[in-house]
Amino acid sequence: MKKMTSEEIIRTYIDFFKERGHEEIDSASLVPKNDPSILWVNAGVTPLKKYFDGTVVPKNRRMTSCQKCIRTNDIENVGLTARHHTFFQMLGNFSVGDYFKEEALTWAFELLTSDKYFGFDKEKLYMTVYPDDFEAYDLWVSLGVAPSHIIKLEGNYWEIGEGPSGPDTEIFFDRGEKYDKDKLGIRLLVEEIENDRYIEIWNNVFSQYNAKDGVARSDYLELPSKNIDTGMGVERMACILQEVETNYETDLFMPIMETISEICHLPYTGQMEFKVIADHIRTITFALSDGAVFENVGRGYVLRRLLRRASRMGKKLNINREFLGDLSLVVVENYKEIYPELMSTKNNVKELISKEELLFQKTLLSGEKYSVKVVDKKGNPVRKGHVIFIAYDQVILSNISESGIASFYLPSNLNITGHLYVLSMYSDGPFNDLIASEQITIGTRTLVALDKNTIGSRMMHSWNNYKFNYTNGSYVAPIKENVNLVLELSGNCYLMY
C-alpha cells in the first residue's frame, strides 16, 4: 500500500481513468444550478443527472471527476465520529450507456491493488454485493477475491422511486483488529454494525433496471441503456493511505488543526471542538466561494448555523475573539492546488465570515433576559437541578438557583413564534424526581412540573441520544425540529423532549 498525499490520491484516480478514455470533468459548484430539489450538490453524480436521465447527451460517454459535496443531515454527529463531515470530496468514474460491470470492476480492482497505483493488499479488501447480482459476485471471484471476502447484503441496491435503479457493490478496507475491540470480525460487515475496522472506500452502482411502483424488484425490466455511477471518498482514502486514526489527522485537516492550536494555545489531541471547527470552516469557505451567502432561510441558514456552532466551539477552547475568517485563509491555502478558483474569492469569503462571526458575538451579548420560577405540582419551589429551554433551533441549559429561579438569555433577533418550550429535571438520579413542563408562553413566569410517571410513558417514544458535556453556566446546542428526543447530560441526568 502506497503512502500518498490527498492531491496524489486525486490525481492517481483521475489519471487512471483518463488513460482509459474518460473525460475529466471539473467539480461543479456546490450551489446547484437549475435544480431546486436540493440545497447542495451532495454526490459526485448530482451534476451529471442531465446525462443519466437522457436530457443531454454528453460529448464523451465516459467521464471522471473529483466533486465537492455538502451533506448537512447529521451536523450533530460531526466531531463525534471518525468520518462524519459536512463537506467532503467524491471521486467518481461514470459511464452513460458505454461500458458496464466487467470493465468497471476490473478497473476498480486494478486501480486498488496494482503497485503502479494504490497498491492495496487484496487480502485487506472486502466486497458487498446484492444477493441476486450473481454477475458481480462471479466477477470479483474471477479477479482473485476470495469468496469469504464477498458478503451478500439486501441493502446493496440503489433505488429512488420510479426510474433507473440497480444493484451496487461496495468495497471495504480492513484496518485490522486494532479497530475491533470486541473481536467481532466479519460480523461487523455481515450484520452492518457501525465500526472503525472495515471502512467503505468505493461504491459502484450498476444502473440497469427500470423501477416501477407496484412491481416486484425481481420483475423490473432492464434498461436499454445501462450506466455506471461510482463514488470514492477522498477523506476516507487519505485516512487509510496515510495510516492515521481518523480523517481529521490527514493532510486534508492537519494544517487547519495546527492553526487552531496556535490560536487557542492548546495541542490537538483529538478534541471534538477542533474537529467541529475544522469541518465547518471547510464547508463555509467552499460554499461561500461558490456563491452561497449567510441568510435566515435555506442554504444560507445552514451556513449561519455552521458558523455559530464553530464559533461556540472556539469559546470552549478559550478563543475569545473572531478567528474563523483567518482560518478560512488556511483552508484556501491547503486546497488551492486542487481548487484554484478558491484564490479569486478568498478575500471576499474572509470578509463575509468575519462580519458574520462578529454579528453572532454581538447577538450573544445583546439578548433579553428571561427568568422562570420552577415549582413542583404542589406549587413548592424547586431549588436544585437544571432547566432546559428549547427555543427555535437552540437548547439552553441553565442552573436552578437556591431561590427556585432559572434565568436565560434569548438573542434579540431570534425569530420565535410566540412559544418557548421548557423542560426541567433534577440531576441526582436517572429518573428520580424528574420533572418537565408543558409548553408555556414567553412572559409566563411559572414552570409547572409533571410527575416522573408521565415522563416514563413519554420516554417510550424516544428518538435518539445526544451527548453533551456540561460544566458551569449554560450550554447551547442545535436540535432538530419535530422529533422526540432524549438528551443525556453528564451521566445521570436525562431530558425528554
Side-chain angles (χ1 to χ4, degrees):
M1 183 174 73
K2 290 185 178 179
K3 189 166 187 177
M4 292 187 177
T5 67
S6 54
E7 290 180 30
E8 289 170 338
I9 292 169
I10 292 170
R11 285 316 325 164
T12 297
Y13 186 102
I14 296 294
D15 290 344
F16 177 90
F17 284 102
K18 286 177 68 175
E19 291 168 1
R20 287 149 184 80
H22 292 63
E23 178 184 357
E24 181 178 358
I25 304 296
D26 290 338
S27 175
S29 169
L30 287 163
V31 179
K33 299 293 190 291
N34 304 315
D35 189 351
S37 66
I38 53 175
L39 284 180
W40 306 103
V41 168
N42 56 15
V45 73
T46 303
L48 307 180
K49 285 194 295 185
K50 59 188 177 183
Y51 302 132
F52 282 86
D53 65 14
T55 304
V56 178
V57 177
K59 61 181 181 180
N60 187 337
R61 291 183 178 273
R62 298 182 179 190
M63 292 167 280
T64 185
S65 67
C66 181
Q67 175 62 46
K68 300 172 290 188
C69 303
I70 289 179
R71 294 180 188 172
T72 56
N73 56 315
D74 55 0
I75 290 174
E76 292 81 7
N77 284 327
V78 171
L80 299 177
T81 71
R83 292 175 300 281
H84 272 95
H85 303 298
T86 53
F87 170 87
F88 60 95
Q89 302 163 90
M90 187 67 74
L91 289 161
N93 56 287
F94 309 93
S95 168
V96 181
D98 188 56
Y99 64 85
F100 201 51
K101 282 184 192 178
E102 183 174 359
E103 295 90 340
L105 297 192
T106 300
W107 289 338
F109 194 72
E110 180 185 4
L111 177 57
L112 289 175
T113 61
S114 171
D115 290 337
K116 185 179 177 181
Y117 305 109
F118 294 129
F120 283 119
D121 179 354
K122 69 177 183 180
E123 298 304 318
K124 292 284 189 180
L125 299 178
Y126 287 77
M127 284 67 172
T128 60
V129 298
Y130 186 62
D132 293 340
D133 191 1
F134 305 109
E135 183 182 1
Y137 182 95
D138 291 341
L139 277 168
W140 283 131
V141 172
S142 71
L143 289 166
V145 180
S148 61
H149 283 223
I150 306 173
I151 297 94
K152 296 180 178 181
L153 296 176
E154 288 289 339
N156 278 89
Y157 197 95
W158 182 84
E159 180 177 359
I160 305 177
E162 292 194 341
S165 69
D168 63 74
T169 181
E170 297 170 316
I171 304 171
F172 292 78
F173 179 81
D174 179 7
R175 295 210 292 171
E177 290 189 356
K178 175 183 176 182
Y179 300 94
D180 183 7
K181 59 180 173 50
D182 295 325
K183 303 296 187 288
L184 296 179
I186 198 64
R187 278 183 56 197
L188 295 169
L189 280 180
V190 174
E191 299 178 21
E192 300 184 77
I193 300 170
E194 182 70 23
N195 71 92
D196 291 323
R197 176 173 178 172
Y198 300 97
I199 305 301
E200 181 194 342
I201 55 176
W202 203 351
N203 188 18
N204 281 251
V205 178
F206 312 120
S207 183
Q208 64 185 109
Y209 298 109
N210 187 27
K212 284 286 186 182
D213 288 341
V215 177
R217 187 174 286 171
S218 59
D219 294 327
Y220 288 168
L221 297 178
E222 288 208 353
L223 294 168
S225 178
K226 299 174 183 178
N227 305 319
I228 292 290
D229 158 24
T230 85
M232 172 188 283
V234 175
E235 285 77 6
R236 295 185 179 203
M237 280 292 284
C239 179
I240 292 168
L241 291 173
Q242 294 172 22
E243 298 183 271
V244 293
E245 291 288 314
T246 77
N247 294 1
Y248 292 98
E249 284 80 53
T250 67
D251 62 353
L252 293 164
F253 285 94
M254 282 310 295
I256 307 173
M257 299 302 197
E258 290 164 0
T259 304
I260 297 171
S261 182
E262 291 172 4
I263 294 171
C264 70
H265 306 293
L266 293 170
Y268 169 63
T269 57
Q271 302 96 313
M272 180 190 76
E273 294 82 3
F274 275 74
K275 294 175 181 178
V276 171
I277 293 169
D279 172 272
H280 290 4
I281 194 60
R282 282 205 319 167
T283 305
I284 295 165
T285 300
F286 274 94
L288 293 177
S289 182
D290 277 352
V293 294
F294 293 109
E295 293 180 297
N296 285 326
V297 295
R299 67 177 63 91
Y301 176 68
V302 171
L303 295 182
R304 179 160 282 166
R305 197 175 153 198
L306 291 175
L307 182 139
R308 292 180 174 188
R309 189 166 186 247
S311 183
R312 288 197 298 266
M313 292 298 167
K315 293 293 185 187
K316 295 186 72 174
L317 295 174
N318 297 316
I319 302 175
N320 295 310
R321 63 175 178 85
E322 295 78 46
F323 69 102
L324 295 174
D326 291 336
L327 207 55
S328 72
L329 298 179
V330 180
V331 176
V332 172
E333 188 65 25
N334 200 37
Y335 287 86
K336 66 182 181 182
E337 297 301 323
I338 308 171
Y339 306 102
E341 65 271 16
L342 289 170
M343 292 296 291
S344 63
T345 60
K346 69 175 185 177
N347 292 331
N348 182 55
V349 167
K350 177 182 183 294
E351 183 179 0
L352 289 171
I353 292 172
S354 297
K355 286 182 177 179
E356 182 68 22
E357 188 177 14
L358 180 60
L359 175 64
F360 178 54
Q361 300 300 333
K362 289 181 177 178
T363 297
L364 290 178
L365 296 173
S366 63
E368 184 174 354
K369 184 177 181 180
Y370 291 87
S371 295
V372 173
K373 182 179 180 182
V374 186
V375 298
D376 61 21
K377 292 184 72 174
K378 296 181 180 180
N380 299 317
V382 174
R383 302 185 187 278
K384 61 178 178 177
H386 312 298
V387 179
I388 301 296
F389 302 97
I390 300 178
Y392 194 40
D393 72 333
Q394 296 188 76
V395 176
I396 306 169
L397 189 152
S398 178
N399 282 324
I400 303 173
S401 70
E402 291 184 1
S403 59
I405 301 294
S407 299
F408 61 98
Y409 284 87
L410 288 181
S412 56
N413 66 346
L414 189 63
N415 179 23
I416 298 177
T417 58
H419 291 95
L420 176 70
Y421 298 90
V422 182
L423 301 115
S424 171
M425 84 300 295
Y426 290 149
S427 58
D428 57 356
F431 296 106
N432 298 327
D433 302 315
L434 189 64
I435 62 174
S437 80
E438 293 295 334
Q439 177 175 295
I440 65 170
T441 303
I442 286 187
T444 299
R445 293 294 179 262
T446 301
L447 171 61
V448 180
L450 300 173
D451 60 38
K452 62 182 179 183
N453 292 326
T454 304
I455 297 299
S457 65
R458 296 164 81 185
M459 185 75 183
M460 298 300 292
H461 305 289
S462 65
W463 173 72
N464 197 1
N465 266 342
Y466 279 62
K467 297 183 184 298
F468 294 117
N469 295 318
Y470 176 71
T471 53
N472 294 323
S474 61
Y475 187 87
V476 182
I479 64 166
K480 297 181 179 181
E481 297 178 318
N482 302 320
V483 295
N484 294 317
L485 181 66
V486 180
L487 291 176
E488 180 185 335
L489 295 132
S490 60
N492 292 328
C493 192
Y494 294 80
L495 163 69
M496 183 66 215
Y497 173 59

